[in-house]
Amino acid sequence: MAVSGVRTLSRMRTAGEFQTRSVEETRAWGARLAQLLQPGDVIALDGPLGAGKTHLVQGILQGLDFPREHVTSPTFTLIQEYPARIAVCHCDAYRLRDVDEFLELGVDELLGSAVICLIEWAERVAEALPRDRLSIGLQVSGETARIIKIGASGPRSEQILQQLLD
């Protein structure tokens, strides 16, 4: 997992880019990220269907001592809560019509609370998310290879990104 460059994403103050070559590497990268997370952190995940968002979430939860095989996409349930070492709220905005529907789920009460919030398809509900968040975009670059682009938009997310880049 080599850093392939640093560039600025729109509306992000700090950005980085990573390459993974397999599902296992994507999960391992997520487990590495998990070691830097703490309660209140919000991670916005975006990318096309099949880009590996749920694989990344599985890695994050594995890094928080939760069995990754118990982690599934919340596409139909919309919110999954996992009692990991640090509690995790995993949301999926893919099937939501608008940000109001997202807020009706009560997610705004979880954002910035004592849980880590992981939100798939976050661009659909971006206006409801806290300004200081880590934004992760996944792109397919090969059969199992992925490009992971990260943007940080505030002091806490910049701290996490800087630790990933070191």
Side-chain angles (χ1 to χ4, degrees):
M1 293 175 295
V3 174
S4 59
V6 176
R7 52 185 153 169
T8 304
L9 300 174
S10 64
R11 297 192 326 240
M12 297 291 128
R13 294 183 352 202
T14 308
E17 186 175 299
F18 301 83
Q19 175 87 38
T20 62
R21 295 178 299 263
S22 65
V23 170
E24 294 76 22
E25 277 191 15
T26 300
R27 287 181 181 140
W29 191 89
R32 179 176 169 226
L33 171 61
Q35 301 312 306
L36 306 173
L37 299 178
Q38 54 188 269
D41 288 339
V42 176
I43 312 297
L45 300 162
D46 287 300
L49 286 170
K53 294 178 293 293
T54 301
H55 291 300
L56 181 61
V57 169
Q58 288 173 336
I60 291 169
L61 276 144
Q62 186 174 353
L64 293 170
D65 304 324
F66 189 85
R68 71 173 166 81
E69 57 273 5
H70 295 285
V71 178
T72 59
S73 175
T75 300
F76 295 102
T77 57
L78 303 179
I79 299 176
Q80 294 276 23
E81 294 184 49
Y82 297 105
R85 179 169 36 87
I86 301 170
V88 172
C89 175
H90 179 201
C91 308
D92 191 319
Y94 182 72
R95 297 203 179 279
L96 300 179
R97 287 185 301 269
D98 55 34
V99 73
D100 290 333
E101 196 171 2
F102 180 72
L103 294 171
E104 287 171 12
L105 295 172
V107 177
D108 56 324
E109 295 175 18
L110 297 169
L111 298 172
S113 69
V115 301
I116 295 168
C117 286
L118 308 173
I119 302 149
E120 293 191 37
W121 298 94
E123 80 274 0
R124 294 175 181 235
V125 295
E127 64 190 76
L129 301 180
R131 188 170 114 62
D132 189 355
R133 65 180 180 267
L134 201 63
S135 296
I136 299 177
L138 286 98
Q139 297 177 345
V140 176
S141 60
E143 188 173 325
T144 59
R146 300 296 183 261
I147 295 171
I148 301 171
K149 293 184 178 184
I150 303 182
S153 57
R156 174 66 189 136
S157 57
E158 286 179 8
Q159 178 186 32
I160 296 167
L161 179 55
Q162 203 52 52
Q163 290 174 309
L164 283 168
L165 294 172
D166 288 344

